[in-house]
Amino acid sequence: MKIVIIGGVAGGASAAARARRLDETAEIVVLERGEHPSFANCGLPYYVGGKIESRQKLLVAPVKMLRERHRLDVRTRSEVTQIDREKHIVHVRNLDSNESYLESYDKLVIATGAASFRPAIPGIESSRVMELRDLADADRMHAVVTSTAKRAVIVGGGFIGIEVAENLVSRGIHVTLVELGDQILTPWDREMIGSIDAHMRAQGVDIRLNDSVERFEETQGGLRMLLKSGETMEADFAVVSIGVRPESKLAVDSGIECAPRGGVVTNEHMQTSDPDIYAVGDVSQVQCFVSKTPIQIPLAGPANRQGRIAADHIFGRESSYRGTQGTAIVGVFGMTAAMTGLSEKVLQRSSIAYEKVYIHPSDHAGYYPGAQPLTLKLLFDPKSGVVLGAQCVGTSGVDKRIDVIAMAIQAGMTVFDLEEVELCYAPQYGHAKDPVNMAGFVASGVVRGDQPLVHANALAGDNGAFLLDVRSESEFAAGHIPGATNIPLESLRERKSELPQGQKINAYCKVGQRGYVATRILMQHRFDVANVSGGYTSWGHHQH
Amino acid sequence: MKIVIIGGVAGGASAAARARRLDETAEIVVLERGEHPSFANCGLPYYVGGKIESRQKLLVAPVKMLRERHRLDVRTRSEVTQIDREKHIVHVRNLDSNESYLESYDKLVIATGAASFRPAIPGIESSRVMELRDLADADRMHAVVTSTAKRAVIVGGGFIGIEVAENLVSRGIHVTLVELGDQILTPWDREMIGSIDAHMRAQGVDIRLNDSVERFEETQGGLRMLLKSGETMEADFAVVSIGVRPESKLAVDSGIECAPRGGVVTNEHMQTSDPDIYAVGDVSQVQCFVSKTPIQIPLAGPANRQGRIAADHIFGRESSYRGTQGTAIVGVFGMTAAMTGLSEKVLQRSSIAYEKVYIHPSDHAGYYPGAQPLTLKLLFDPKSGVVLGAQCVGTSGVDKRIDVIAMAIQAGMTVFDLEEVELCYAPQYGHAKDPVNMAGFVASGVVRGDQPLVHANALAGDNGAFLLDVRSESEFAAGHIPGATNIPLESLRERKSELPQGQKINAYCKVGQRGYVATRILMQHRFDVANVSGGYTSWGHHQH
């Protein structure tokens, strides 16, 4: 058995190591275009920013180790230029000598990853317009940020853009971040990301939403950018990070089936339309675990698993990929945003029925010092209660809650299951009723009909409704939703005659808990009442 | 409907609030023996230690709030002395006036919790021998530790004992901890807890295992203890915390069925043998979620859920309790131990077939600064791979991994599922292959037969085996398992002729990963080889 693997980073490296563990006799050739296989892709921004001091640390599986430990024939600076499927041969160019040669294969694994999308903006070819996909990019950017650079413009507010922004700021560089859309971090729903946006601005990042660069011009020692908004900006360099495209040209050229968005189409064993060729990692299109529709989503964990599965299948094992559920996390200036499953906007685009709840608990028991606020959004099927997705933002305990809900999605659990799950509790770690349980309580109440909800983003359209603020008088005085009437929860029973029978009442408090109690009280007195999910806090998140 | 609830802390308070949300018209009487309902039980040690500065913070649901918000008839300092099931009446004593009265009920909820077990040790009645179960205890201990106390002896190395030890040390008090068993934190397996034990000793806690106090004697201004080991110890005060017993006397006296260990027997709706009487929280016996056998395990989260379920059932809802899976966590001096499901010792006692693996990953990617070691033990069915339990110890990311595996247990997942689950990954939060995935990989390899394992604790009995250390020469020189031969993994293929064919080979590395690769290599060359699970690190954990 001779296996040739094109690309030696996440998916390719995993396929190679797994193949060796399964078969000592196989010939395994890894062709990597770059200088290093298996470098720490996700560490690049932190190397640029100096958080990771040693470049050596990024080389997580050096060639020497792959050769000696796994007896892999790793060839760096080796670019595959063509796949000849009929002859079972790839054409390889040695990028150092510029010589080309042929390499035969029994099974081929395409793990070429994805390349930065570089739109046709005039001047984008300037060496001052950088990207950050590989070690060579990181080296170039590292050199710039440790020299005299004072200002940078980042184009694109995705994962890389956000992480680079943080790291440039930590180098003392002034950062302007230009994002075409109306929010940064578009995988999340917009109202969830406002606090991250505000936090970044507070750290000095100049965020420009709904804008884009229309032209780059080199100046003496710098770069000038003309924005769509008409503004002109000067900087030492720019970083373009507006998404990636599968590097599937080799597959396309050789007639392997690719999807409209460019990803190589595979079956559950990561096999392409040619059964002797597999595609793993960012180059492959996968199925969404939740919606069962094709998606193109670049993530390191799935890439590793796909590589493993491809190797298994090459050696006759029936391992199969379950689909990608889109679990993702990003940290910036001490805040964290994480998500799993489908976002509300994807649910809307996919016309999948859903309901949602917001909760705003603290990461751990409020009576123990250092408790920090979290916002957790849970999306679920309105009838069955099956969990469809979740998003969480805060400074601590964010990854934990999303990981827990990621497990719920993997297991096909419902919001009723979330009520019951038994998680770690001591006051410095969580709550006796963990935020995940709380989200389950609220969502289950909605599915069961115990708690009719109205969403903060729908309040404006609910003009005929009576808006009831059940917080304390002092909370109300400090700020409230326009048009609201204040009756504190504690006096609601006595003062319910002040409320209109027959008119819709929308009740809210700070985060939704007192609003829920108020809703339960008023429902039993036959008022037509709904609780504003996430309360005044969620309303605030929708105002930006 | 008139509901009387005996006990107003976790389970009782939850039952009362839930009952009110379900029925505005119900009469709900909460009879609490102490001064405060719903105080922060788990915060008591941290109030004693000063981490929680304000006593007020412990009163999470003050009487006023319960009365006004939930219209509960909360009566503190009110002790129920008798249940008259026939007449549906309880006898109540007002502990301030010492007057008694009768209170009728339609449904009764027993939420009396558990009391500290105080063994019949001579002198234990001294006021200098304290416990820490309620606010009054905390007040007494707070007064002592903020006065002149310099030395304390803690009897019992369970949750409370450990937490009190940390908090007394933070008050500058010298602590000796006396534990009858051969380990602290007995819910965990012994080899998992050695690092916590060592860490506590390093912080100055004088831990005495396999010892106990045989006599307390008051001295002038202090306390003298005679230990079983023969030693005599002087201290300003002692804290006895050797477990709790369900406070089920009321139930027993009224003829309600109780289990041999004292817990009130209930069905899945928390209903006792008297259908009008429910028992929730630490007073009730529950079913183990994993083994489906009765257990008595005091945990706050389950108590809250049980209270809710009892209230639901009173109002005709079919909510049912799924059993307690024993998810628990404790923090001490910056280290954390967490667990879920069954421990190895419980599996052994219960004669349940199991296999186990140990891994020693870092909490997040090693190339990102601040990565800290974790030890994770996974217990699973050797045939089906169903997850039975997990334990984790470290300084960061411990709660997350156990919560994730707690979800796996809830969902009935297998180790094959753990391979596939998609968790948050960015280098500061985790790994592209999360420790949970890694544990899944290793365990799946064992179930599939890809990786025969031998356990560090069984090595000593494996005398006829050849012990192979595949670490580097320098690692070997710095310390190795006695009797081992060193052949670094990188030269194993070339030097395999040095290995005995036909003899059992036990291969190990530092944590098990290189040992796994070595095992795969040697298996394919038809050696009879097994990997030492968790490697040299796990071997070290078994040496204490």
Side-chain angles (χ1 to χ4, degrees), chain A residues 242-279:
Chain A
I242 55 174
V244 296
R245 296 288 180 276
E247 286 225 55
S248 56
K249 186 168 183 305
L250 279 174
V252 171
D253 290 350
S254 62
I256 293 169
E257 187 188 350
C258 290
R261 276 167 293 185
V264 180
V265 175
T266 71
N267 64 13
E268 73 270 32
H269 308 301
M270 308 315 297
Q271 227 170 356
T272 69
S273 56
D274 181 329
D276 287 333
I277 302 181
Y278 296 76

Short mmCIF file of all heavy atoms in Angstrom, two decimals, chain A residues 242-279:
data_model
loop_
_atom_site.label_atom_id
_atom_site.label_comp_id
_atom_site.label_asym_id
_atom_site.label_seq_id
_atom_site.Cartn_x
_atom_site.Cartn_y
_atom_site.Cartn_z
N ILE A 242 -10.60 38.02 5.10
CA ILE A 242 -12.05 38.08 4.89
C ILE A 242 -12.60 36.72 4.50
O ILE A 242 -13.56 36.60 3.75
CB ILE A 242 -12.42 39.13 3.82
CG1 ILE A 242 -11.67 38.86 2.53
CG2 ILE A 242 -12.11 40.53 4.33
CD1 ILE A 242 -12.09 39.79 1.41
N GLY A 243 -11.97 35.71 5.04
CA GLY A 243 -12.48 34.36 4.80
C GLY A 243 -11.52 33.56 3.96
O GLY A 243 -10.53 34.07 3.45
N VAL A 244 -11.82 32.29 3.86
CA VAL A 244 -10.94 31.39 3.13
C VAL A 244 -11.75 30.64 2.07
O VAL A 244 -12.97 30.57 2.13
CB VAL A 244 -10.25 30.39 4.08
CG1 VAL A 244 -9.33 31.10 5.05
CG2 VAL A 244 -11.28 29.54 4.82
N ARG A 245 -11.03 30.11 1.11
CA ARG A 245 -11.64 29.30 0.05
C ARG A 245 -10.88 27.98 0.01
O ARG A 245 -9.64 27.97 0.10
CB ARG A 245 -11.48 29.99 -1.31
CG ARG A 245 -12.20 31.31 -1.46
CD ARG A 245 -13.72 31.12 -1.55
NE ARG A 245 -14.43 32.38 -1.71
CZ ARG A 245 -14.78 33.19 -0.70
NH1 ARG A 245 -14.48 32.88 0.54
NH2 ARG A 245 -15.45 34.29 -0.94
N PRO A 246 -11.59 26.88 -0.15
CA PRO A 246 -10.91 25.59 -0.23
C PRO A 246 -9.89 25.60 -1.36
O PRO A 246 -10.18 26.09 -2.45
CB PRO A 246 -12.05 24.61 -0.56
CG PRO A 246 -13.31 25.30 -0.17
CD PRO A 246 -13.05 26.76 -0.30
N GLU A 247 -8.72 25.07 -1.09
CA GLU A 247 -7.69 24.98 -2.13
C GLU A 247 -7.92 23.71 -2.93
O GLU A 247 -7.14 22.76 -2.86
CB GLU A 247 -6.30 24.95 -1.49
CG GLU A 247 -5.87 26.29 -0.96
CD GLU A 247 -4.43 26.62 -1.34
OE1 GLU A 247 -4.09 26.58 -2.55
OE2 GLU A 247 -3.65 26.91 -0.42
N SER A 248 -8.98 23.74 -3.73
CA SER A 248 -9.41 22.51 -4.40
C SER A 248 -9.08 22.48 -5.89
O SER A 248 -9.60 21.65 -6.62
CB SER A 248 -10.92 22.33 -4.20
OG SER A 248 -11.60 23.48 -4.68
N LYS A 249 -8.21 23.37 -6.34
CA LYS A 249 -7.93 23.45 -7.77
C LYS A 249 -7.43 22.11 -8.32
O LYS A 249 -7.85 21.67 -9.40
CB LYS A 249 -6.89 24.56 -8.03
CG LYS A 249 -6.63 24.82 -9.51
CD LYS A 249 -5.83 26.09 -9.73
CE LYS A 249 -5.66 26.37 -11.23
NZ LYS A 249 -5.05 25.25 -11.97
N LEU A 250 -6.54 21.46 -7.55
CA LEU A 250 -6.04 20.15 -7.99
C LEU A 250 -7.17 19.17 -8.23
O LEU A 250 -7.19 18.42 -9.20
CB LEU A 250 -5.12 19.57 -6.91
CG LEU A 250 -3.68 20.05 -6.84
CD1 LEU A 250 -3.01 19.44 -5.61
CD2 LEU A 250 -2.94 19.68 -8.12
N ALA A 251 -8.13 19.19 -7.31
CA ALA A 251 -9.27 18.27 -7.42
C ALA A 251 -10.13 18.64 -8.62
O ALA A 251 -10.51 17.78 -9.42
CB ALA A 251 -10.08 18.30 -6.13
N VAL A 252 -10.43 19.91 -8.72
CA VAL A 252 -11.26 20.39 -9.84
C VAL A 252 -10.60 20.01 -11.16
O VAL A 252 -11.23 19.42 -12.06
CB VAL A 252 -11.44 21.92 -9.77
CG1 VAL A 252 -12.13 22.45 -11.04
CG2 VAL A 252 -12.22 22.31 -8.52
N ASP A 253 -9.31 20.33 -11.29
CA ASP A 253 -8.60 20.09 -12.55
C ASP A 253 -8.57 18.61 -12.93
O ASP A 253 -8.49 18.27 -14.12
CB ASP A 253 -7.16 20.61 -12.46
CG ASP A 253 -7.11 22.13 -12.43
OD1 ASP A 253 -8.17 22.76 -12.65
OD2 ASP A 253 -6.03 22.69 -12.17
N SER A 254 -8.62 17.75 -11.93
CA SER A 254 -8.54 16.32 -12.26
C SER A 254 -9.94 15.69 -12.35
O SER A 254 -10.06 14.47 -12.44
CB SER A 254 -7.70 15.60 -11.21
OG SER A 254 -8.30 15.73 -9.94
N GLY A 255 -10.96 16.53 -12.30
CA GLY A 255 -12.31 16.02 -12.52
C GLY A 255 -12.97 15.41 -11.31
O GLY A 255 -13.99 14.72 -11.40
N ILE A 256 -12.42 15.65 -10.13
CA ILE A 256 -13.07 15.18 -8.90
C ILE A 256 -14.23 16.12 -8.57
O ILE A 256 -14.10 17.34 -8.72
CB ILE A 256 -12.04 15.15 -7.74
CG1 ILE A 256 -10.99 14.07 -8.02
CG2 ILE A 256 -12.72 14.90 -6.40
CD1 ILE A 256 -9.79 14.12 -7.10
N GLU A 257 -15.32 15.55 -8.11
CA GLU A 257 -16.50 16.38 -7.86
C GLU A 257 -16.27 17.39 -6.74
O GLU A 257 -15.85 17.03 -5.64
CB GLU A 257 -17.69 15.48 -7.50
CG GLU A 257 -19.00 16.26 -7.40
CD GLU A 257 -20.15 15.43 -6.86
OE1 GLU A 257 -19.99 14.19 -6.73
OE2 GLU A 257 -21.20 16.02 -6.55
N CYS A 258 -16.55 18.64 -7.05
CA CYS A 258 -16.46 19.70 -6.04
C CYS A 258 -17.79 20.42 -5.97
O CYS A 258 -18.56 20.45 -6.92
CB CYS A 258 -15.34 20.67 -6.38
SG CYS A 258 -13.71 19.93 -6.20
N ALA A 259 -18.05 21.02 -4.80
CA ALA A 259 -19.31 21.71 -4.58
C ALA A 259 -19.22 23.13 -5.13
O ALA A 259 -18.13 23.63 -5.41
CB ALA A 259 -19.60 21.74 -3.09
N PRO A 260 -20.37 23.78 -5.30
CA PRO A 260 -20.36 25.14 -5.84
C PRO A 260 -19.44 26.08 -5.05
O PRO A 260 -18.78 26.93 -5.63
CB PRO A 260 -21.82 25.57 -5.71
CG PRO A 260 -22.61 24.30 -5.72
CD PRO A 260 -21.74 23.28 -5.06
N ARG A 261 -19.38 25.89 -3.73
CA ARG A 261 -18.51 26.79 -2.95
C ARG A 261 -17.06 26.32 -2.95
O ARG A 261 -16.21 26.86 -2.24
CB ARG A 261 -19.03 26.91 -1.51
CG ARG A 261 -20.12 27.97 -1.38
CD ARG A 261 -20.84 27.86 -0.05
NE ARG A 261 -21.61 26.62 0.05
CZ ARG A 261 -22.41 26.30 1.07
NH1 ARG A 261 -22.52 27.11 2.09
NH2 ARG A 261 -23.08 25.17 1.07
N GLY A 262 -16.76 25.31 -3.75
CA GLY A 262 -15.37 24.94 -3.96
C GLY A 262 -14.87 23.74 -3.19
O GLY A 262 -13.81 23.20 -3.49
N GLY A 263 -15.61 23.33 -2.17
CA GLY A 263 -15.15 22.20 -1.35
C GLY A 263 -15.24 20.88 -2.10
O GLY A 263 -16.16 20.68 -2.90
N VAL A 264 -14.30 20.01 -1.83
CA VAL A 264 -14.34 18.70 -2.45
C VAL A 264 -15.46 17.89 -1.80
O VAL A 264 -15.58 17.84 -0.57
CB VAL A 264 -12.99 17.96 -2.25
CG1 VAL A 264 -13.04 16.57 -2.90
CG2 VAL A 264 -11.85 18.79 -2.82
N VAL A 265 -16.28 17.28 -2.63
CA VAL A 265 -17.40 16.50 -2.12
C VAL A 265 -16.89 15.12 -1.69
O VAL A 265 -16.14 14.47 -2.43
CB VAL A 265 -18.49 16.35 -3.21
CG1 VAL A 265 -19.61 15.42 -2.73
CG2 VAL A 265 -19.05 17.72 -3.58
N THR A 266 -17.28 14.69 -0.50
CA THR A 266 -16.85 13.37 -0.02
C THR A 266 -18.05 12.62 0.56
O THR A 266 -19.08 13.22 0.85
CB THR A 266 -15.81 13.47 1.11
OG1 THR A 266 -16.45 13.96 2.30
CG2 THR A 266 -14.65 14.39 0.75
N ASN A 267 -17.88 11.32 0.71
CA ASN A 267 -18.87 10.56 1.47
C ASN A 267 -18.45 10.56 2.95
O ASN A 267 -17.51 11.27 3.33
CB ASN A 267 -19.02 9.14 0.91
CG ASN A 267 -17.73 8.32 1.06
OD1 ASN A 267 -16.81 8.72 1.77
ND2 ASN A 267 -17.66 7.18 0.38
N GLU A 268 -19.15 9.77 3.77
CA GLU A 268 -18.88 9.84 5.21
C GLU A 268 -17.52 9.27 5.58
O GLU A 268 -17.04 9.46 6.70
CB GLU A 268 -20.00 9.15 6.00
CG GLU A 268 -20.02 7.63 5.93
CD GLU A 268 -20.86 7.09 4.79
OE1 GLU A 268 -20.93 7.77 3.72
OE2 GLU A 268 -21.43 5.99 4.92
N HIS A 269 -16.89 8.56 4.65
CA HIS A 269 -15.53 8.06 4.92
C HIS A 269 -14.47 9.02 4.39
O HIS A 269 -13.30 8.67 4.33
CB HIS A 269 -15.34 6.68 4.28
CG HIS A 269 -16.40 5.69 4.65
ND1 HIS A 269 -16.65 5.33 5.96
CD2 HIS A 269 -17.31 5.02 3.90
CE1 HIS A 269 -17.65 4.45 5.98
NE2 HIS A 269 -18.07 4.26 4.75
N MET A 270 -14.87 10.17 3.95
CA MET A 270 -14.00 11.22 3.41
C MET A 270 -13.46 10.84 2.02
O MET A 270 -12.49 11.42 1.55
CB MET A 270 -12.83 11.57 4.36
CG MET A 270 -13.23 11.89 5.79
SD MET A 270 -14.65 13.03 5.96
CE MET A 270 -14.05 14.52 5.20
N GLN A 271 -14.14 9.90 1.38
CA GLN A 271 -13.80 9.47 0.04
C GLN A 271 -14.43 10.41 -0.98
O GLN A 271 -15.61 10.72 -0.89
CB GLN A 271 -14.40 8.08 -0.16
CG GLN A 271 -13.50 7.05 -0.74
CD GLN A 271 -14.15 5.66 -0.66
OE1 GLN A 271 -15.24 5.49 -0.10
NE2 GLN A 271 -13.47 4.70 -1.22
N THR A 272 -13.65 10.83 -1.96
CA THR A 272 -14.18 11.72 -3.00
C THR A 272 -14.92 10.90 -4.05
O THR A 272 -15.08 9.68 -3.91
CB THR A 272 -13.04 12.50 -3.69
OG1 THR A 272 -12.26 11.56 -4.46
CG2 THR A 272 -12.15 13.18 -2.68
N SER A 273 -15.30 11.56 -5.15
CA SER A 273 -15.98 10.84 -6.24
C SER A 273 -15.05 9.80 -6.86
O SER A 273 -15.50 8.90 -7.55
CB SER A 273 -16.46 11.84 -7.30
OG SER A 273 -15.37 12.62 -7.77
N ASP A 274 -13.76 9.92 -6.64
CA ASP A 274 -12.80 8.87 -7.03
C ASP A 274 -12.50 8.05 -5.78
O ASP A 274 -11.91 8.56 -4.82
CB ASP A 274 -11.52 9.53 -7.56
CG ASP A 274 -10.47 8.50 -8.00
OD1 ASP A 274 -10.43 7.39 -7.42
OD2 ASP A 274 -9.69 8.82 -8.90
N PRO A 275 -12.88 6.78 -5.76
CA PRO A 275 -12.76 6.02 -4.50
C PRO A 275 -11.33 5.84 -4.01
O PRO A 275 -11.13 5.47 -2.86
CB PRO A 275 -13.40 4.66 -4.85
CG PRO A 275 -13.48 4.62 -6.33
CD PRO A 275 -13.53 6.02 -6.83
N ASP A 276 -10.35 6.09 -4.84
CA ASP A 276 -8.97 6.00 -4.38
C ASP A 276 -8.43 7.34 -3.87
O ASP A 276 -7.25 7.44 -3.52
CB ASP A 276 -8.06 5.48 -5.50
CG ASP A 276 -8.28 3.99 -5.76
OD1 ASP A 276 -8.69 3.30 -4.81
OD2 ASP A 276 -8.07 3.55 -6.90
N ILE A 277 -9.28 8.34 -3.86
CA ILE A 277 -8.83 9.66 -3.42
C ILE A 277 -9.74 10.17 -2.31
O ILE A 277 -10.97 10.14 -2.41
CB ILE A 277 -8.82 10.66 -4.61
CG1 ILE A 277 -7.91 10.11 -5.73
CG2 ILE A 277 -8.37 12.04 -4.15
CD1 ILE A 277 -7.81 11.01 -6.94
N TYR A 278 -9.13 10.61 -1.24
CA TYR A 278 -9.83 11.15 -0.08
C TYR A 278 -9.55 12.64 0.02
O TYR A 278 -8.51 13.13 -0.46
CB TYR A 278 -9.36 10.46 1.20
CG TYR A 278 -9.69 8.98 1.23
CD1 TYR A 278 -8.95 8.06 0.48
CD2 TYR A 278 -10.76 8.50 1.97
CE1 TYR A 278 -9.27 6.71 0.48
CE2 TYR A 278 -11.08 7.14 1.98
CZ TYR A 278 -10.33 6.26 1.23
OH TYR A 278 -10.65 4.93 1.22
N ALA A 279 -10.45 13.36 0.64
CA ALA A 279 -10.20 14.79 0.92
C ALA A 279 -10.57 15.04 2.38
O ALA A 279 -11.63 14.64 2.84
CB ALA A 279 -11.02 15.67 0.00
#
